Structures are given as C-alpha cells and as structure tokens.
C-alpha cells in the first residue's frame, strides 16, 4: 500500500502571498498519483485530489512542526474540501486549524470530488433501479440494467488511497507522523488506517464515526461484491436529511446550507448536469474496523457525537469509546448538533476541542471520559 508515485501542485501562490511570509492563509491543490486497488481500475495510476490550507509563512518554511500536520478524511457522500473547508466566515475547520499554525490537508478518495472517478460513475444505469426515475427521460429513456453491477470501491481501496496521501505529506513536510481527522464513514477509513499503520498516525479526531463493533473482519468472498456501484443526492434530499436532525432553535443557518450545496455541485460537474443537479458518490464495501481492530489501537483518539445525530447514533460512538484500547481517549457529547456538526451553531466548540486535543492531548483538562459541550 506504500504506493506514492508523485504529485502535481495545481494552484499558483501569488507574489503578494509569498512576500507576506506570515499571516496570509493559502489554498494549495495537490494531485497525488496512486496505484489504485479499486477493483474496476486496479493497477492503474490515478490522481487523488488533496487540498492544503496553510499560513504563508509556514508554507515558505516548508514545515509547521512534526506535531502540527493534519489530514482530513471525508465520509460516505460529501467530498473533503466541501465538508471541511466551507467558504463562509468561521465555518472552515481546515482554516481554523491552519490559523492556529497547523498545516492542514483534506483528501478525496477515489470516486469523490476532484479525485479519479471510475467510468462506471458516468452511467445512470448504474444507479439503483428505484433511483433512475429522476433521470427519465433527460438522461435515459427508461430504467435500465447496470453495466457494472458491483460495489465500486472498498474500504481497502480507501486505505490504499489514504496511505499514498499520508506518505506524500510525510515526505513533503518532513514528518514521521500526521494526525487524522475524519467524519462518518471517514471513521472506518481513518481509524482502520491507523489500526494498520500506527507508525504513521500521531492522533485521531473522529466526528460521528460509523463504527460497527460486529463488522466482518475480512472482505467478502467474492470481489468485487455484487451491488449498486454508486448513489446520488439532490438538493431536496440533502436538506430533508439534515432537517430531520434539527433538535434546537437556529441549529444551522440557511446561508451555510446553500454554501455547502453549491460547493457540492461544483465538486461534481457531471452530477451537476443530471436532472436538477446531484452529487454522486461511490458505494463502498466495508469490513475490518470492528471490536478486534479498535481493541488493538493505541492512537490517542478524540470522538465527537452530535446530540441529535440520526445517521450515526451517539450510542455507536459510545461503543467505540468502550472498545478502544487507547489509554488516551475522550468522548465529546456535543449539544444542539446533528451529523453535520461542523456546519452548525456549536461548530466552534468542536473546532476548539480538536485543536486542544491535537496540541495538548486533552480538552478542558480531560484526557479520558465523556465531556459535555454546549449544554
């Protein structure tokens, strides 16, 4: 899985920013070349998109310190730069940590955002039959049989992508370890990677991690497993899923929701042309990040559960806390928050908790137990 080949910087840095050598916050695009293990494109060299947010002075020096390099890993539907770098004041988790002196990166695994999207994702026939109707007759004349009837990516191919990016960042910033921050299905992605490569991971911060203590320890007998290769989400579905998790007044601002949705469509120019505009995401076959795996994990881990999360129940996060072997582990119970806590009113409490954990290994002086914030 140590398959980093090379990367291309895709963003120019202005002369003014270079001259600043200080407080200007830069955005730098990287495309990391990885030898894919996604079944449909196994062995092909593909680009994995990585966004960097960093203070100009730190970028010019080429380092921020070995304990201040962090990589964000996304969940099952939303690309990382959309999830963690919302273009609204005080809503970018990446920018918050970068302003505090971190060199922050966010990666899109295969099938998401500006990373490689396998060809099967361009065929609406590869949607579930009951999802195809929204695209008749604009894209297809009638519901149709799939051309690729399998789950498109796997947790192992995600770990492979993460490994390529982690090793690229380690080489770029001359560090032995990076910290990983992850959301939802990013929990198995980042947590599973840390279980396999503890030598590369400094600390973990997991928001609403999709933990399954009874998950299979091994992949399906048949690979790639049968199933639907991808899914879509419309604006209406995006808001319906969010609104069912609102449990307190003014939990989120409509303008922020619109900024997120606009960024979502911008990250998927093909999906933006399907019907009313949708975001596409691959279906991922998962296994491995179970009680046995976390029972061997020693990486210091901060877990965050939103009070009103109806996608990953706070009970599942509590199970992860109970099963995790790391002696340094803390569970934050975040009030007035859904699965989308980083886009909501109590986000800054969470951002600050993550900063404290990454820098001091504690939040409000606590290194273990459960901490209630925002109540």
């Amino acid at each position: 899985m140590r398959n980093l080949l090379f990367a291309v910087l895709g963003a120019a840095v202005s002369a003014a920013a270079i001259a600043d050598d200080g407080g200007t916050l830069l955005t730098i695009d990287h495309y990391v070349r990885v030898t894919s293990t996604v079944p449909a494109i196994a062995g092909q060299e593909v680009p994995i998109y990585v966004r960097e947010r960093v203070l100009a002075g730190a970028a010019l020096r080429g380092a921020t310190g070995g304990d201040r390099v962090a990589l964000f890993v996304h969940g099952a539907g939303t690309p990382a730069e959309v999830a963690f770098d919302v273009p609204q004041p005080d809503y970018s988790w990446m920018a918050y940590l970068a302003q505090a002196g971190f060199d922050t990166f966010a990666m899109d695994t295969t099938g998401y955002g500006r990373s490689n999207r396998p060809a099967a994702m361009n065929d609406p026939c590869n949607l579930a039959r009951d999802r195809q109707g929204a695209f008749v007759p604009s894209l297809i004349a009638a519901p149709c049989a799939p051309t690729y009837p399998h789950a498109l990516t796997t947790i192992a191919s995600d770990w492979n992508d993460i490994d390529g990016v982690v090793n690229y960042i380690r080489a770029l910033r001359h560090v032995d370890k990076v910290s990983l921050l992850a959301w939802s299905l990013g929990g198995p992605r980042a947590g599973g990677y840390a279980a396999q490569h503890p030598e590369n991971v400094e600390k973990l911060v997991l928001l609403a991690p999709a933990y399954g203590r009874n998950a299979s320890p091994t992949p399906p007998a048949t690979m790639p497993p049968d199933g639907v290769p991808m899914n879509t989400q419309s604006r209406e579905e995006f808001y319906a899923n969010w609104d069912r998790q609102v449990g307190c007044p003014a939990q989120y601002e409509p303008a922020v929701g619109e900024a997120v949705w606009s960024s979502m469509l911008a990250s998927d120019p093909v999906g933006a042309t399907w019907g009313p505009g949708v975001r596409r995401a691959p279906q991922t076959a998962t296994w491995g990040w179970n009680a046995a795996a976390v029972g061997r994990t020693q990486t210091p881990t901060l877990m965050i559960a939103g009070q009103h999360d109806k996608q990953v129940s706070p009970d599942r996060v509590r199970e992860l806390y109970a099963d995790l072997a790391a002696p340094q582990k803390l569970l934050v119970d975040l009030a007035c928050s859904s699965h989308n806590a980083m886009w909501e009113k109590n986000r800054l409490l969470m951002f600050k908790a993550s900063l404290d954990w990454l820098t001091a290994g504690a939040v409000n002086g606590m290194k273990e137990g459960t901490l209630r914030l925002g109540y």
Side-chain angles (χ1 to χ4, degrees):
M1 286 174 53
R2 296 181 179 278
N3 54 9
L4 173 66
L5 297 178
F6 62 90
V8 178
L9 287 180
V13 179
S14 71
I18 292 173
D20 183 336
D21 190 23
T24 300
L25 195 61
L26 304 180
T27 301
I28 305 171
D29 292 338
H30 305 254
Y31 289 89
V32 178
R33 305 295 298 194
V34 168
T35 301
S36 183
T37 60
V38 171
I41 54 173
Q44 295 183 27
E45 184 184 296
V46 299
I48 299 299
Y49 172 66
V50 180
R51 173 173 293 184
E52 181 182 10
R53 301 299 308 275
V54 63
L55 290 172
L60 287 170
R61 291 190 298 272
T64 54
D67 62 345
R68 287 184 175 254
V69 180
L71 171 65
F72 286 83
V73 180
H74 60 78
T78 306
E81 73 272 17
V82 178
F84 307 117
D85 195 23
V86 179
Q88 292 284 304
D90 300 322
Y91 275 87
S92 169
W93 198 348
M94 292 182 72
Y96 182 94
L97 292 181
Q99 291 285 6
F102 274 78
D103 196 348
T104 63
F105 298 83
M107 65 172 290
D108 291 338
T109 59
T110 297
Y112 292 86
R114 286 187 271 173
S115 289
N116 177 267
R117 290 183 186 257
M121 294 187 70
N122 294 326
D123 185 355
C125 294
N126 286 324
L127 294 170
R129 183 63 67 104
D130 64 356
R131 302 288 295 174
Q132 294 180 18
F135 308 108
V136 175
S138 59
L139 290 176
I140 51 178
C144 44
T147 56
Y148 186 83
H150 309 285
L152 189 58
T153 59
T154 73
I155 193 66
S157 67
D158 291 340
W159 291 332
N160 181 71
D161 291 348
I162 292 169
D163 192 56
V165 172
V166 165
N167 286 317
Y168 169 71
I169 293 170
R170 291 171 62 222
L172 179 73
R173 292 300 175 229
H174 310 290
V175 296
D176 293 327
K177 296 184 177 185
V178 302
S179 290
L180 300 180
L181 298 93
W183 174 42
S184 195
L185 188 60
R189 286 168 171 151
Y193 178 79
Q196 297 170 55
H197 296 282
E199 72 281 2
N200 291 345
V201 181
E202 184 77 23
K203 292 186 177 75
L204 286 169
V205 176
L206 305 178
L207 168 61
Y211 174 59
R213 60 171 26 156
N214 297 317
S216 171
T218 57
T222 301
M223 290 293 287
D226 292 340
V228 176
M230 67 171 174
N231 61 74
T232 60
Q233 185 181 57
S234 67
R235 180 183 182 277
E236 181 181 5
E237 291 164 336
F238 169 73
Y239 276 109
N241 185 48
W242 197 350
D243 287 342
R244 71 188 178 94
Q245 303 178 68
V246 171
C248 67
Q251 188 169 314
Y252 76 88
E253 298 179 18
V256 174
E258 287 303 304
V260 172
W261 181 249
S262 296
S263 296
M264 199 98 77
L265 288 187
S267 77
D268 187 358
V270 172
T273 69
W274 286 19
V278 298
R279 70 102 180 103
R280 301 169 300 153
Q283 289 290 110
T284 302
T286 62
W287 63 84
W289 198 54
N290 55 17
V294 303
R296 298 188 297 268
T297 298
Q298 297 290 314
T299 306
T301 303
L302 174 67
M303 293 150 270
I304 302 128
Q307 179 188 13
H308 305 297
D309 192 337
K310 289 183 171 60
Q311 290 177 250
V312 174
S313 166
D315 287 341
R316 292 176 65 183
V317 187
R318 286 188 279 268
E319 289 177 352
L320 173 60
Y321 180 88
D323 294 346
L324 186 66
Q328 193 173 346
K329 59 182 181 179
L330 183 65
L331 172 59
V332 167
D333 174 2
L334 190 64
C336 192
S337 298
S338 74
H339 196 65
N340 302 332
M342 67 283 196
W343 305 332
E344 296 179 336
K345 67 186 297 182
N346 280 339
R347 70 200 178 279
L348 294 177
L349 294 175
M350 183 177 69
F351 294 176
K352 178 62 162 56
S354 71
L355 175 61
D356 290 347
W357 186 258
L358 294 177
T359 54
V363 182
N364 292 357
M366 294 180 61
K367 294 185 177 181
E368 60 179 333
T370 299
L371 174 64
R372 287 160 57 89
L373 291 178
Y375 287 90

